Amino acid sequence: GRVRIGVYTAGGQAVRRRLYEGEVTDPATGPRSPFNTRDRLLSPAAWDGTNDDGELVASGVYLIVLEMGPRRDIRMVAVVR
């Protein structure tokens, strides 16, 4: 199905609206999830710590949100500068 991955602040404000968007044939969660480091989708979904304008974000905790249909998977990441 259609997958979208975005980056948000802990308060829910969008930082990077479309880190990745595309069609995948594997389930959105589980061992083949784009969040799984063994999955080939990780490379195009890697976040470089910038916002939608290409500016570096401040140190802090951010949420990486994967959405596929009605399913949502959220991971927390920390940026330390």
Side-chain angles (χ1 to χ4, degrees):
R2 189 117 186 115
V3 170
R4 181 163 49 168
I5 300 174
V7 181
Y8 299 85
T9 64
Q13 184 178 22
V15 173
R16 186 90 170 259
R17 294 181 195 280
R18 288 196 176 110
L19 180 61
Y20 176 85
E21 187 167 1
E23 296 287 327
V24 296
T25 56
D26 293 325
T29 59
R32 302 266 319 144
S33 166
F35 284 129
N36 189 321
T37 57
R38 294 175 291 166
D39 194 301
R40 292 181 185 176
L41 183 58
L42 182 65
S43 180
W47 181 42
D48 60 1
T50 61
N51 62 19
D52 282 332
D53 296 326
E55 303 164 334
L56 291 174
V57 299
S59 295
V61 175
Y62 294 87
L63 305 176
I64 308 295
V65 180
L66 178 143
E67 296 175 281
M68 182 174 178
R71 299 177 77 170
R72 180 179 284 178
D73 196 5
I74 301 172
R75 297 287 189 264
M76 291 178 20
V77 296
V79 173
V80 180
R81 300 226 185 262

